[in-house]
Amino acid sequence: MDNLFRLKDLSVKEINDILDLANKCKDGTYDNYLKDKIIANCFFEPSTRTQYSFNTAQLRLGMKVISFNSDNSSLKKGESFYDTIKTFESFNIDGIVIRDRKDHYYEELKNIHIPILNAGDGASDHPTQSLLDLLTIRNEFGHFEGLNIAIVGDIKYSRVAHSNIEIMERLGMNCYVSGPEEYREEGYKFIDFDKAIEQMDIIMLLRVQHERHEQKMQLSLEEYHRDYGLTMERVNRMKDNAIIMHPAPFNRMVEIADDVVECDKSRIFKQIENGVLVRMAVILKTIGGM
Ligand code: NCD
């Protein structure tokens, strides 16, 4: 694998192979496996989980890590995105992790010849988030085929929803979306939230992506919580084996009630744990040539 831009470019077999390798990373087999390699993390958009999860994966692999600080860089002197990335390539490092606000930013990086790992581009794709979601689901249910998932919230502006729906459908899952009308998108199957609660195997909540909106949300935060928030009352109506997921960061008492965050059905922190494993796996596949 040369780069990781989006999961659309990978076959179902390649995706399952990455998940298998991620599970193998659990026991320390690949710790320090890439100890001579140097990688840079270039985040042009805020990030806690993705950035530091990549960082943890790199440290587990024994890599040497450069953390680019965009606020303290020559971007402030007017240097372009492309020239910044070209500079890192010229350091002769082994790979680069990039997150940017721009959809498909990697299309302008065709002249960069070191592996690029996409840590999120605009509202389009978030391949490592989808991989960690898939690992969490496969480890929980043992398969994908026939599972019902509802992704709830700001579908329109969410790269997590877009990335996930494409690959989950390809893996044989039934994907539904739910949430406020203003954030719905053509082409996806809509389900009423309270119906989804009772019928789905997986409820995946999303944060409202306020930073990508031109207009203020029509609902107040209280109204959002009332209509689309996962409360304990709703959790109690979910199927016995159903689980709750959220890419985080979550807003307590908006899309999720306080006591639901760490309830028995929640896999939110398991997802974060799995994030390190899938990121180790994609680094091994690209930079490690596995
Ligand atoms: C998401 C993102 O940045 O796309 N978070 C993440 O990477 N875990 C979702 C979000 O910001 O709401």
Side-chain angles (χ1 to χ4, degrees), residues 45-47 49-50 99 119-120 122 126 129 132 158-160 206-209 211-212 246-249 279:
E45 220 194 30
S47 170
R49 260 152 303 276
T50 307
R99 166 176 285 193
H126 195 346
Q129 179 66 42
L132 74 87
S158 166
R159 55 188 167 217
V160 177
L206 298 175
R207 183 180 65 85
V208 177
Q209 313 280 297
E211 71 279 17
R212 300 200 182 114
H246 192 313
R279 290 177 178 119

Side-chain angles (χ1 to χ4, degrees), residues 202-243:
I202 303 153
I203 297 286
M204 179 179 285
L205 306 168
L206 298 175
R207 183 180 65 85
V208 177
Q209 313 280 297
H210 298 286
E211 71 279 17
R212 300 200 182 114
H213 299 166
E214 274 164 20
Q215 271 165 3
K216 209 172 156 280
M217 181 164 71
Q218 283 163 20
L219 295 173
S220 70
L221 298 181
E222 292 73 23
E223 286 166 338
Y224 189 99
H225 189 65
R226 179 197 65 201
D227 295 348
Y228 304 106
L230 193 55
T231 57
M232 231 354 145
E233 184 277 318
R234 287 188 167 121
V235 171
N236 290 334
R237 287 190 279 126
M238 288 172 66
K239 283 166 48 171
D240 282 350
N241 297 327
I243 60 167

